[in-house]
Amino acid sequence: MAPYNKYLYIAFVAMGLYFLVSKEPSWDSISFLGIALAFDPFDQDQPWGQRPVWQRGILLVHLMVVLGLVGMMLFASFG
């Protein structure tokens, strides 16, 4: 695991949350939160099935939040 993954993950999540809170949800906040998932803060050498449940839960909830925001933005643009 690269030693900087945790810091990049935290930085991208923080920027995404900043854009999400400072104004209404935008593609900027979604992109920062989505890119944060690329920097898995946990041990990447460990297979998905062998990771603790709490690590998988954090990453899955993070993914669901990003997909939910994408759905909201698409619904708002077509609705």
Side-chain angles (χ1 to χ4, degrees):
M1 176 174 82
Y4 52 84
N5 274 4
K6 289 181 185 180
Y7 303 114
L8 287 173
Y9 179 81
I10 292 169
F12 274 95
V13 168
M15 285 301 296
L17 291 176
Y18 169 74
F19 282 119
L20 191 64
V21 172
S22 68
K23 53 185 176 180
E24 61 185 54
S26 66
W27 291 110
D28 293 335
S29 60
I30 295 169
S31 63
F32 274 108
L33 289 172
I35 291 171
L37 284 169
F39 301 105
D40 184 358
F42 306 114
D43 186 11
Q44 294 176 353
D45 294 330
Q46 189 176 25
W48 178 257
Q50 294 177 357
R51 290 183 182 209
V53 174
W54 67 271
Q55 288 181 2
R56 290 185 282 176
I58 288 173
L59 293 173
L60 287 174
V61 166
H62 187 148
L63 179 63
M64 288 189 290
V65 167
V66 171
L67 292 177
L69 288 171
V70 168
M72 281 178 32
M73 291 296 292
L74 290 175
F75 182 73
S77 65
F78 290 124

